[in-house]
Amino acid sequence: MLTTWKRGMLVLPALAAVALGGCSSTESTSKISKENLQQSATQALEQKVGQRPEKFDCPGDIDAKVGTTTRCVLSDKTTRYGVAVTVTSVEGSNFKLDVQVDQAPMQ
C-alpha cells in the first residue's frame, strides 16, 4: 500500500526508496546527518505519493552503513505516524533509503 494524503491527511502506509547523496565523513565511519536524513526521507515520500509531509522528524545522525535503521515520526495535521528509515546501499557519498510508514497512527 502507498501513503496518500487527502486534504492534508495521511491515510495509508508507504514504502519508498530513493538514491541520494550527502554522507559526511568522520575518522571511522561515514554518517548521514539528521538534517540530510530527514530531507532525504521526506523527498522519498514526496516522490512516491506526490505530496510532501507537513513535518518529518528523526532523532539524530545515523551511520552510512547498509542495514542501519532508525525510527522517525511523520506528522500531518494532528496525526502522527512512526516511520522506519533503513539505509539500503552506500556508494561513496551517495546512499539509498527505504522508508516504511507504520500502518496505524501513533497513540
Side-chain angles (χ1 to χ4, degrees), residues 1-82:
M1 295 181 163
L2 299 177
T3 301
T4 57
W5 283 268
K6 194 179 244 182
R7 295 186 189 103
M9 198 169 175
L10 181 70
V11 294
L12 297 173
L15 174 63
V18 66
L20 299 159
C23 296
S24 61
S25 294
T26 62
E27 286 183 15
S28 59
T29 306
S30 292
K31 296 278 188 184
I32 301 170
S33 71
K34 174 182 175 176
E35 294 78 18
N36 198 0
L37 180 66
Q38 290 174 166
Q39 180 182 30
S40 299
T42 297
Q43 288 174 352
L45 288 170
E46 184 176 22
Q47 287 173 2
K48 197 69 173 173
V49 300
Q51 186 171 346
R52 190 172 193 82
E54 284 184 16
K55 189 173 181 184
F56 195 91
D57 292 312
C58 296
D61 298 354
I62 64 170
D63 290 336
K65 180 180 174 187
V66 173
T68 301
T69 298
T70 190
R71 295 288 297 169
C72 300
V73 177
L74 173 129
S75 301
D76 192 37
K77 301 237 184 255
T78 58
T79 307
R80 296 174 3 135
Y81 285 83

